Amino acid sequence: MKNPANSGAVTHGAGSARDESTRDRVARSILTNGPSSAAVLAERLELTPAAVRRHLDHLLDEGLVESREERIYGPRGRGRPAKVFVLTDTGRHAFHQAYDDLAATAMRFIAEAGGDDAVAEFARRRVAEVEERYREQVALAPESKKAEVLAQALTADGYAASTAEAGHGAQLCQHHCPVAHVAEQFPQLCEAETEVFSRLLGKHVQRLATIAHGDGVCTTHIPGPVDSVPAAPVSDGEAARTAR
């Protein structure tokens, strides 16, 4: 299996192999946990800060990660926000191509061993960590800003999310889905995510469209007054067309 950190150059020796393995762990940690600073990565992976920076420099050079200032939700403290690293589209695609088949195989095994209930339980556990990370951000936001803050948190995790006014409520649109290929076979992943949105927003939301089912955008309807979510343009106009 091609390592996302190995962009094509052939390397030799145990030292190079260890570097690639560690670099893969750094990239995988960012993929799994979202935007991360070098200090957080070092602590999480039990590496020295210098080693993490060396691997991050390589990933930056290869175009697999990019750096940006950390997004702060709520009151901002003194000083500049920390620099965090996120996977680029190239970096995400490298992981998805390498692990989609493996993930789908694992999900099929769960389904065969435990049935649909086991798949649903796995899906709920998968999104539980995401719900925990988002809960405080959304809870601290005013009612009129909760969906917007949720969209910002999703965007920070690579979902390219936005909100748009829609009838008697709003639409939460996700223009990218990291697990679309697996969710195509196992819709329980989408269902568990929708349940999380309902709990975070305190409303019964309805999934109207998903990338996994061939729609251009994952679209979730949020009921309520139109002014409950600030109007924002849908970037490609497709959410409104694909919502059913």
Side-chain angles (χ1 to χ4, degrees), residues 79-226:
R80 294 188 60 183
K83 180 188 291 186
V84 295
F85 298 86
V86 298
L87 287 185
T88 62
D89 286 343
T90 300
R92 287 183 179 278
H93 290 159
F95 268 109
H96 299 158
Q97 292 165 3
Y99 297 112
D100 273 355
D101 287 346
L102 177 62
T105 299
M107 293 294 288
R108 284 193 292 271
F109 174 81
I110 293 173
E112 291 170 3
D116 289 343
D117 288 344
V119 174
E121 178 60 23
F122 172 84
R124 285 191 291 268
R125 291 191 183 188
R126 177 185 175 275
V127 298
E129 186 271 338
V130 174
E131 180 178 5
E132 185 65 27
R133 285 195 293 113
Y134 291 178
R135 181 180 291 116
E136 184 176 1
Q137 297 175 27
V138 177
L140 291 176
E143 186 65 29
S144 63
K145 296 285 187 179
K146 289 186 184 298
E148 184 179 12
V149 169
L150 175 58
Q152 291 171 346
L154 287 165
T155 296
D157 277 352
Y159 288 86
S162 62
T163 57
E165 181 181 315
H168 298 291
Q171 286 183 352
L172 174 66
C173 303
Q174 297 159 261
H175 303 274
H176 176 67
C177 176
V179 297
H181 293 101
V182 181
E184 182 179 356
Q185 302 175 54
F186 298 96
Q188 294 93 330
L189 295 171
C190 298
E191 294 165 4
E193 183 181 71
T194 305
E195 292 172 3
V196 165
F197 291 170
S198 289
R199 289 195 293 271
L200 289 172
L201 297 173
K203 299 181 178 182
H204 177 70
V205 305
Q206 182 181 6
R207 185 61 62 91
L208 303 177
T210 63
I211 295 172
H213 290 156
D215 300 303
V217 179
C218 292
T219 308
T220 305
H221 177 71
I222 303 169
V226 173

Side-chain angles (χ1 to χ4, degrees), residues 22-40:
T22 303
R23 201 163 295 138
D24 178 71
R25 290 176 59 212
V26 172
R28 190 198 306 266
S29 181
I30 296 172
L31 175 73
T32 303
N33 298 282
S36 305
S37 67
V40 168

